[in-house]
Amino acid sequence: MKIFSFLFFLFITAPFWAQPGTTLPTVQISPQFVANLSVGNEETSGLFFRNDTLFSINDSGNAPELKGIDPANGQTLKTWTIANAQNQDWEALTASPTDFFIGDIGNNMGARQYFQVYKISINSLAGVDTLNALQQTYYLPNQPSVNLPMNAHNFDAEAFAYWNDSLHIFSKNWANLWTKHYVLPSHWQDTISAQLVDSFFVDGLITDAAYNANTQQLYLLGYKQQSSGMYTSFMWAFWDDSVQVFNGFRRRIELGSALVLSQTEGLCLTGQYNGFISGEQISSVITIPAKIHAWSVEDIMTAGMEKLVPGLYFFENTLYLPESFNEILTLVDMNRKVVLKTERGKSKYNLERLPPGVYYLMANDWYYKWLKNS
């Protein structure tokens, strides 16, 4: 199916609250190899950077441990055992200024109804090998009370991030390749329901998240199986929307093959536009070791809008396109009705006749939300 047709299908089948905003064209970067991870980190599944140290966890089947890793060479610096915790399926790691949060939130088998978050004081790490954690339990709203088909449902999760004194979970939707955004308080008692606040079509499986509170930028990491059977990795960047997250600008960033990156499971930020990715070991026909890669999107994220979509803008109820722009665009209203289809060679369109409201200018791999006030 062509991308344009697929996007239009999304518009007529999905609620608009899940997809407003501006999707910019997809770009590709090549993360820089740093090192293979040392023995004991083969199933790295979460990543956080603090005080020049990478912190990581391993997923299901491993000991309940927090690892400190040297970001220069991938060697383990320190291992802390979490004495009062179980590793059913540890998949996410994030931190507030005072606490680490470990997410026992994986559910690819579809058999879990309840999930745990382990909260650990950062100050307690100094000078000890064993830690105690506060266990907090939650469940997902609307999850069926029966076992779900393995790797074929939408109630799995491997990603969360901390901001505004809350934990923000991003689901791994096997069935439809969307992600659902849930919110939890950073501290709670008893067993509570996560709050579903939004969703977004990521066209892949989300495995980790990282958030920059200073710039209000969210990054999601994931991978997708291609028609060839091979897997490729990607990130989504979201910015300019501090409330709904998905309603501002967003851009898909292709990272390359899993044969190079390994199975990308961990994501962290080291600066405004920089960070690390950790990849879990792949053991199949060939073995690809667990790895660390560094990445930067500074050139992409600091480019002005005029460079991202050159010469395309709305002004005083007129749509302007650059004279060299050859792509056919379609403008649709909130009722999914096509109100304009552009022509090659024409660069100016008078839209005064349209009633006030929200419109979406759709292209092959991006679309632009326009609010007509009068």
Side-chain angles (χ1 to χ4, degrees):
M1 183 182 293
K2 292 183 179 179
I3 295 176
F4 175 82
S5 300
F6 187 55
L7 278 174
F8 190 75
F9 173 78
L10 285 176
F11 267 79
I12 64 176
T13 57
F16 273 108
W17 61 266
Q19 289 283 281
T22 303
T23 301
L24 302 176
T26 298
V27 294
Q28 184 161 357
I29 65 172
S30 297
Q32 180 181 1
F33 174 73
V34 175
N36 292 335
L37 286 169
S38 60
V39 174
N41 297 293
E42 289 83 2
E43 296 189 58
T44 174
S45 195
L47 208 60
F48 194 86
F49 182 79
R50 178 183 171 87
N51 292 342
D52 297 323
T53 300
L54 285 173
F55 292 88
S56 184
I57 54 174
N58 287 307
D59 61 20
S60 58
N62 288 277
E65 295 174 337
L66 176 66
K67 305 273 190 174
I69 297 172
D70 188 333
N73 57 26
Q75 298 297 304
T76 300
L77 299 171
K78 177 81 173 181
T79 299
W80 294 269
T81 298
I82 316 302
N84 59 335
Q86 293 182 338
N87 186 345
Q88 185 170 348
D89 195 2
W90 287 14
E91 293 288 357
L93 176 66
T94 190
S96 70
T98 58
D99 298 285
F100 276 113
F101 299 90
I102 297 173
D104 194 342
I105 61 178
N107 189 30
N108 63 321
M109 300 294 289
R112 299 184 68 179
Q113 297 288 323
Y114 297 97
F115 308 91
Q116 284 73 44
V117 173
Y118 293 103
K119 183 177 181 179
I120 303 166
S121 170
I122 292 175
N123 289 336
S124 68
L125 272 64
V128 299
D129 298 320
T130 302
L131 303 170
N132 286 307
L134 172 66
Q135 177 179 310
Q136 303 177 122
T137 303
Y138 74 92
Y139 60 91
L140 298 176
N142 302 319
Q143 179 177 345
S145 58
V146 298
N147 286 355
L148 301 169
M150 182 180 68
N151 295 351
H153 63 90
N154 296 329
F155 292 91
D156 190 10
E158 295 189 1
F160 67 18
Y162 171 92
W163 73 86
N164 290 342
D165 201 28
S166 300
L167 296 173
H168 297 257
I169 301 170
F170 298 92
S171 67
K172 184 180 186 182
N173 283 24
W174 296 90
N176 63 9
L177 304 185
W178 283 60
T179 190
K180 290 177 286 187
H181 174 197
Y182 299 93
V183 179
L184 288 166
S186 61
H187 182 85
W188 71 91
Q189 296 178 340
D190 302 320
T191 299
I192 64 172
S193 172
Q195 179 186 5
L196 176 61
V197 296
D198 207 350
S199 62
F200 182 76
F201 179 68
V202 290
D203 193 23
L205 301 173
I206 296 302
T207 58
D208 208 358
Y211 185 78
N212 187 323
N214 294 325
T215 59
Q216 299 178 342
Q217 295 169 348
L218 170 70
Y219 296 88
L220 299 181
L221 176 70
Y223 57 77
K224 181 183 179 182
Q225 186 176 26
Q226 304 299 322
S227 57
S228 64
M230 304 301 291
Y231 285 84
T232 57
S233 298
F234 63 87
M235 287 195 306
W236 277 95
F238 300 89
W239 69 101
D240 279 358
D241 180 19
S242 60
V243 180
Q244 289 296 104
V245 181
F246 297 142
N247 287 355
F249 290 107
R250 63 274 183 125
R251 165 161 253 174
R252 185 183 176 99
I253 304 163
E254 296 293 342
L255 302 175
S257 172
L259 295 176
V260 175
L261 301 170
S262 61
Q263 183 173 311
T264 46
E265 296 279 345
L267 175 70
C268 70
L269 295 172
T270 57
Q272 185 172 352
Y273 304 115
N274 312 86
F276 288 103
I277 294 169
S278 65
E280 180 178 313
Q281 178 173 294
I282 298 175
S283 301
S284 185
V285 178
I286 60 174
T287 297
I288 302 171
K291 302 179 181 183
I292 300 174
H293 284 80
W295 57 271
S296 174
V297 292
E298 183 171 1
D299 291 345
I300 298 168
M301 297 294 287
T302 56
M305 188 67 185
E306 70 280 357
K307 294 182 179 179
L308 301 175
V309 188
L312 188 158
Y313 58 95
F314 291 89
F315 182 70
E316 293 185 348
N317 294 330
T318 301
L319 169 62
Y320 294 90
L321 302 177
E323 292 185 2
S324 60
F325 194 86
N326 290 319
E327 189 170 1
I328 300 298
L329 306 178
T330 303
L331 189 69
V332 301
D333 63 16
M334 285 291 289
N335 295 317
R336 290 78 168 172
K337 179 183 177 182
V338 176
V339 298
L340 173 70
K341 194 168 186 178
T342 64
E343 306 170 22
R344 288 188 175 91
K346 185 176 180 179
S347 59
K348 183 178 179 180
Y349 297 86
N350 189 324
L351 305 175
E352 291 182 353
R353 61 180 177 81
L354 296 178
V358 176
Y359 296 86
Y360 295 85
L361 186 66
M362 300 175 60
N364 281 339
D365 60 355
W366 57 270
Y367 57 89
Y368 186 94
K369 179 182 176 182
W370 174 52
L371 175 62
K372 188 175 189 295
N373 294 313
S374 60

